[in-house]
Amino acid sequence: MDHYDPQQTNDYMQPEEDWDRDLLLDPAWEKQQRKTFTAWCNSHLRKAGTQIENIEEDFRDGLKLMLLLEVISGERLAKPERGKMRVHKISNVNKALDFIASKGVKLVSIGAEEIVDGNVKMTLGMIWTIILRFAIQDISVEETSAKEGLLLWCQRKTAPYKNVNIQNFHISWKDGLGFCALIHRHRPELIDYGKLRKDDPLTNLNTAFDVAEKYLDIPKMLDAEDIVGTARPDEKAIMTYVSSFYHAFSGAQKAETAANRICKVLAVNQENEQLMEDYEKLASDLLEWIRRTIPWLENRAPENTMQAMQQKLEDFRDYRRLHKPPKVQEKCQLEINFNTLQTKLRLSNRPAFMPSEGKMVSDINNAWGGLEQAEKGYEEWLLNEIRRLERLDHLAEKFRQKASIHESWTDGKEVMLQQKDYEIATLSEIKALLKKHEAFESDLAAHQDRVEQIAAIAQELNELDYYDSPSVNARCQKICDQWDNLGALTQKRREALERTEKLLETIDQLYLEYAKRAAPFNNWMEGAMEDLQDTFIVHTIEEIQGLTTAHEQFKATLPDADKERQAILGIHNEVSKIVQTYHVNMAGTNPYTTITPQEINGKWEHVRQLVPRRDQALMEEHARQQQNERLRKQFGAQANVIGPWIQTKMEEIGRISIEMHGTLEDQLNHLRQYEKSIVNYKPKIDQLEGDHQQIQEALIFDNKHTNYTMEHIRVGWEQLLTTIARTINEVENQILTRDAKGISQEQMNEFRASFNHFDRDHSGTLGPEEFKACLISLGYDIGNDAQGEAEFARIMSIVDPNRIGVVTFQAFIDFMSRETADTDTADQVMASFKILAGDKNYITVDELRRELPPDQAEYCIARMAPYHGHDAVPGALDYMSFSTALYGESDL
């Protein structure tokens, strides 16, 4: 709590220096203050065994006032005067006021005489000053004090309650929910807050006041009707009442805090004692478990089988995985509990905990170290034993596998070596059997290492005292005996095969020679038959000449091929002679080839028949290619003339369209003469089309005599016709523009010269920048500023409405003629109108028919039909309607 500052108190009291005398004029407020202040004073005077009935009367002699100050301050005041005279009363009241002033409270306009005289306003103001100083000023909540602190306390306590919004000490309390919320927040068993209604303030207020008086020792300072029946309850009365709630709950909270502190100390002691008991028990259990586990880990009795050792290893893994981790956790928790206990004892100023003998943390750590040492030794022994048994099991399994593989390999080998299949075999079969036997010998030699390994493994198992050594030795001996027998049989079969091979070797050599010469000769004949029957596709005379030359070269090789055929047949005849002479048993045909002499003779005869057929086919194709070559030359000669002619005409038309020789009519006549000459050239195009059709029918796809194709000629011819027609149309349009706009020939020449000058690429069009430069050269003022760009954009929208990015000469002429004619349009319209209308300001349809030729008059009348509208004469037009109908709105 902050120290009391007299100056601060004086500042706080400054707004209250007149005690709100104007408000005290309100009888309702005076009644509320009288009742509240009286109840508040009695709540303290009861502690001294007295009370007051009338606040302005009972404090007049100053005795109860001094007693009240002693009760609320806890200090003794000066001895009061016991006399009944006025002077004695004033003296007592002054002593009370001096005591109040000594507490830093500045009393303004309150004198002892007013109190002694029973002045209600002064007495209430004095009591309010006492309440502020001793009941409200010392309230401090979150660095705020007095009234603000009390208001903040109320807001904090009632914040969780719906329909409660404490903002002041008057109307915020009218519905009674604020008082009920304060009680429920601190003593929820006293009020069923959920049943309260905001629209029933009397019930709420009475409930709160009754409960506070009955259970909280807060006297009833106000009646519910006083608060509800007042538009704005008295702030001082409410503050006084609320401060009683604050002090009541504040005192209860202090008592509860003291009780909690004592309980906390007792709980800490109980917790410490429990921790001691838990430590002792946990330490005993852990040491007992270590004592039981170490002998199991030190047991080194070996097992004879791998399965038993694996079970021991699995048990050890279960110990590591299941049994030890909880004990590690217990040991860690034991140390944590020990450290926590010592810390709590030290913080509680209690002596340190000393475990029973042998149960210190160091004793447990030593025992744990012994456990881990035994565990490490046991694990090493297990692994070594497992490796030893694994070695024995591995050797036994290796012996069984190698023995099984060897026995499987030798199965049937003795029977195979005793066969006499070579007695009826051919030489090729003998050689095959011999090679097969050589492969078997290589395989046999390779298995020598396996037999030696089997014997070595059996020897090692004997040295390691393998429990099943007798069966291993018996099996090993059987394998060695069988191996010796296989060696003898192998040598005997090799000798028999070699003798038979020598007998059939001569015949085999002849078979081999036959096969070596028959195979390539047979391939040559098959290739020759394929080539002679192959369908050829050629496109030039050179290609058919190449095929003919190759065929002649092939025919030149036929005599040598016939000699080779006779030599191959001679080898076969010699074999037949040997077989008949020496009565050799020939069980089959030539093992090196399937080609028989009959096949060779048949294919040779077929080749001889195909040669003249090929001669005839080559002669016919040669004649066809000569005809195709003639068609190529004929088309190429014409295309090489027509193609350049079309290109030349296109260039000449382009020059005519941009040159300025003569008038437009001269250019038009010249172009029409060109058009006539071009049309007269059409028969040559048709003739070329006929030649092209013959080429297509002959399936000719290329022509080295010309770079022009018929498609090129067609496209060029169509472009030529289109270009001459378009150029003639452009000149005609220029003539129409010139006549319609009144442009002289000199102006046309000037426009053409300017256009051609800036048409750098001679494309017949101007780009935007070229067109801009052309306009500037003709005198147009187009600047590079924003205004100039806007003006040029307007001009481009006229000459290039489709926004294709180029300006044609016709568009250029239209624009230039329009620009030169616009300034004269209005004057021309007025002059024309005055001539036809005379002295009138309108013109009629009859006058138009009379003054103009019939066809022009009807055309003009049709143009004017939408604009008839003269007010005086129906069907007549005034000047504006006439000019709009005749020239259009955009030209005016």
Side-chain angles (χ1 to χ4, degrees), residues 2 69 97 101 111 226 251 376 409 428 442 484 509 553 640 661 720 726 832 883:
D2 297 336
L69 291 174
L97 294 179
D226 295 337
K376 181 180 178 182
W409 179 82
S428 60
S442 300
D484 294 337
Q509 289 177 353
Q553 293 174 354
N640 290 336
H661 299 304
L720 180 61
R726 184 173 60 248
S832 301
S883 61

Side-chain angles (χ1 to χ4, degrees), residues 117-384:
D117 292 340
N119 188 312
V120 176
K121 295 180 182 178
M122 294 301 176
T123 303
L124 292 175
M126 179 190 66
I127 297 302
W128 173 242
T129 301
I130 294 173
I131 292 172
L132 278 177
R133 173 60 185 84
F134 292 100
I136 298 176
Q137 180 177 315
D138 291 339
I139 296 174
S140 177
V141 178
E142 297 184 9
E143 299 183 359
T144 61
S145 59
K147 179 181 178 180
E148 290 78 7
L150 181 60
L151 181 63
L152 181 59
W153 178 80
C154 295
Q155 291 171 344
R156 291 288 184 270
K157 295 299 181 179
T158 60
Y161 295 87
K162 63 181 181 179
N163 298 328
V164 177
N165 184 17
I166 304 301
Q167 297 296 329
N168 49 57
F169 287 107
H170 37 80
I171 61 175
S172 293
W173 302 85
K174 283 192 67 174
D175 57 7
L177 292 178
F179 289 104
C180 293
L182 287 177
I183 296 173
H184 186 267
R185 180 66 182 273
H186 295 87
R187 297 287 300 277
E189 76 279 2
L190 299 180
I191 291 180
D192 188 356
Y193 189 84
K195 294 183 178 180
L196 301 178
R197 302 199 318 272
K198 189 175 181 65
D199 58 355
D200 190 5
L202 284 175
T203 301
N204 300 338
L205 289 167
N206 285 325
T207 300
F209 295 163
D210 294 342
V211 169
E213 185 176 25
K214 183 176 180 180
Y215 296 103
L216 304 178
D217 197 25
I218 299 174
K220 191 173 184 179
M221 300 182 183
L222 287 171
D223 291 330
E225 292 78 4
D226 295 337
I227 298 177
V228 175
T230 306
R232 185 175 185 269
D234 181 61
E235 184 178 48
K236 297 180 178 61
I238 298 297
M239 284 180 63
T240 302
Y241 212 156
V242 172
S243 68
S244 298
F245 281 85
Y246 172 83
H247 290 293
F249 292 131
S250 176
Q253 185 174 0
K254 291 179 180 177
E256 182 181 356
T257 301
N260 290 338
R261 187 177 296 111
I262 294 173
C263 292
K264 183 177 180 181
V265 171
L266 294 175
V268 169
N269 291 337
Q270 291 176 346
E271 183 180 356
N272 291 341
E273 292 175 359
Q274 186 63 43
L275 285 176
M276 295 177 188
E277 293 178 4
D278 293 344
Y279 178 86
E280 291 285 341
K281 183 178 185 308
L282 191 59
S284 299
D285 293 344
L286 186 59
L287 289 171
E288 177 62 21
W289 177 81
I290 294 174
R291 185 188 63 79
R292 293 196 314 268
T293 305
I294 289 179
W296 175 69
L297 294 174
E298 290 177 345
N299 182 14
R300 299 292 189 271
E303 300 291 342
N304 294 327
T305 64
M306 187 66 181
Q307 182 178 3
M309 289 305 298
Q310 288 287 355
Q311 184 59 46
K312 278 196 172 185
L313 180 61
E314 187 63 28
D315 293 342
F316 180 72
R317 288 173 178 170
D318 289 341
Y319 156 78
R320 279 276 186 86
R321 184 174 60 252
L322 301 176
H323 303 294
K324 185 181 179 182
K327 298 304 177 181
V328 173
Q329 184 64 31
E330 289 179 10
K331 177 178 176 294
C332 179
Q333 190 62 44
L334 189 69
E335 294 176 356
I336 292 173
N337 291 349
F338 182 81
N339 294 332
T340 302
L341 177 60
Q342 299 292 33
T343 301
K344 288 185 175 182
L345 292 173
R346 185 170 59 255
L347 294 176
S348 302
N349 295 322
R350 297 283 302 279
F353 169 64
M354 289 298 295
S356 303
E357 184 178 357
K359 296 181 182 178
M360 294 290 293
V361 173
S362 58
D363 297 331
I364 295 173
N365 287 334
N366 292 334
W368 189 267
L371 174 72
E372 291 188 334
Q373 189 65 30
E375 180 182 311
K376 181 180 178 182
Y378 186 67
E379 182 179 19
E380 292 177 353
W381 175 77
L382 278 176
L383 295 177
N384 290 332

Side-chain angles (χ1 to χ4, degrees), residues 64-78:
K64 290 187 177 181
L65 179 61
M66 294 178 68
L67 183 60
L68 175 66
L69 291 174
E70 288 182 349
V71 170
I72 62 177
S73 68
E75 300 179 15
R76 296 289 296 178
L77 273 68

Side-chain angles (χ1 to χ4, degrees), residues 654 656-668 671 726-745 747-749 751-753 755-756 764 808-814 817:
I656 293 173
S657 64
I658 63 175
E659 291 176 353
M660 298 178 294
H661 299 304
T663 64
L664 292 176
E665 285 78 1
D666 294 339
Q667 295 181 27
L668 183 60
L671 287 171
R726 184 173 60 248
T727 305
I728 291 173
N729 179 257
E730 290 177 355
V731 174
E732 289 175 345
N733 289 337
Q734 292 173 20
I735 293 173
L736 290 175
T737 302
R738 180 197 64 187
D739 295 343
K741 301 298 183 177
I743 302 175
S744 64
Q745 184 64 39
Q747 288 178 309
M748 289 295 293
N749 293 338
F751 293 157
R752 169 55 76 178
F755 188 89
N756 291 345
T808 63
F809 182 69
Q810 183 62 43
F812 174 71
I813 290 299
D814 291 343
S817 62

Side-chain angles (χ1 to χ4, degrees), residues 606-870:
H606 191 202
V607 169
R608 292 181 59 190
Q609 294 174 359
L610 290 175
V611 170
R613 298 178 189 173
R614 186 71 169 184
D615 291 337
Q616 182 64 29
L618 289 172
M619 290 176 59
E620 293 174 355
E621 182 62 26
H622 189 272
R624 191 176 72 85
Q625 288 300 326
Q626 287 180 333
Q627 175 64 17
N628 289 349
E629 185 67 14
R630 183 188 65 77
L631 291 175
R632 288 191 186 93
K633 291 180 179 179
Q634 180 178 334
F635 179 85
Q638 295 184 69
N640 290 336
V641 173
I642 294 175
W645 180 86
I646 290 175
Q647 183 64 30
T648 301
K649 292 302 179 181
M650 289 286 289
E651 295 172 356
E652 291 177 354
I653 292 172
R655 286 195 299 272
I656 293 173
S657 64
I658 63 175
E659 291 176 353
M660 298 178 294
H661 299 304
T663 64
L664 292 176
E665 285 78 1
D666 294 339
Q667 295 181 27
L668 183 60
N669 292 332
H670 194 184
L671 287 171
R672 285 175 175 167
Q673 291 176 3
Y674 256 81
E675 183 181 27
K676 183 177 180 180
S677 65
I678 290 172
V679 172
N680 292 336
Y681 203 77
K682 184 64 167 60
K684 294 185 178 181
I685 302 297
D686 295 339
Q687 182 180 356
L688 189 63
E689 284 282 5
D691 293 343
H692 178 66
Q693 183 177 356
Q694 292 181 11
I695 286 178
Q696 287 185 324
E697 292 173 352
L699 300 178
I700 300 174
F701 301 105
D702 56 354
N703 192 344
K704 66 181 180 179
H705 302 292
T706 182
N707 292 327
Y708 293 98
T709 65
M710 194 63 223
E711 183 63 24
H712 293 156
I713 299 298
R714 291 194 195 103
V715 172
W717 176 253
E718 292 172 358
Q719 289 180 349
L720 180 61
L721 294 177
T722 302
T723 301
I724 187 64
R726 184 173 60 248
T727 305
I728 291 173
N729 179 257
E730 290 177 355
V731 174
E732 289 175 345
N733 289 337
Q734 292 173 20
I735 293 173
L736 290 175
T737 302
R738 180 197 64 187
D739 295 343
K741 301 298 183 177
I743 302 175
S744 64
Q745 184 64 39
E746 289 74 13
Q747 288 178 309
M748 289 295 293
N749 293 338
E750 181 183 2
F751 293 157
R752 169 55 76 178
S754 298
F755 188 89
N756 291 345
H757 175 74
F758 290 98
D759 184 13
R760 309 294 186 187
D761 57 357
H762 303 292
S763 63
T765 59
L766 296 180
E769 294 301 323
E770 294 175 337
F771 177 60
K772 185 176 182 179
C774 182
L775 290 177
I776 294 173
S777 70
L778 292 173
Y780 277 81
D781 185 13
I782 302 176
N784 293 323
D785 53 3
Q787 182 177 359
E789 293 296 331
E791 174 62 16
F792 182 68
R794 182 191 68 82
I795 295 173
M796 283 298 295
S797 67
I798 295 173
V799 299
D800 185 20
N802 296 325
R803 296 184 180 182
I804 60 176
V806 295
V807 181
T808 63
F809 182 69
Q810 183 62 43
F812 174 71
I813 290 299
D814 291 343
F815 172 74
M816 295 304 300
S817 62
R818 175 175 178 174
E819 291 294 311
T820 57
D822 280 349
T823 56
D824 298 331
T825 301
D827 294 338
Q828 293 172 357
V829 171
M830 178 59 75
S832 301
F833 182 82
K834 287 182 177 180
I835 292 173
L836 296 177
D839 296 333
K840 307 189 299 301
N841 62 350
Y842 61 87
I843 186 170
T844 65
V845 173
D846 294 337
E847 288 174 339
L848 287 174
R849 288 195 174 99
R850 184 174 62 250
E851 298 295 337
L852 299 178
D855 55 344
Q856 296 181 1
E858 295 304 324
Y859 173 75
C860 186
I861 291 170
R863 287 286 302 272
M864 295 178 182
Y867 303 97
H868 291 169
H870 192 270

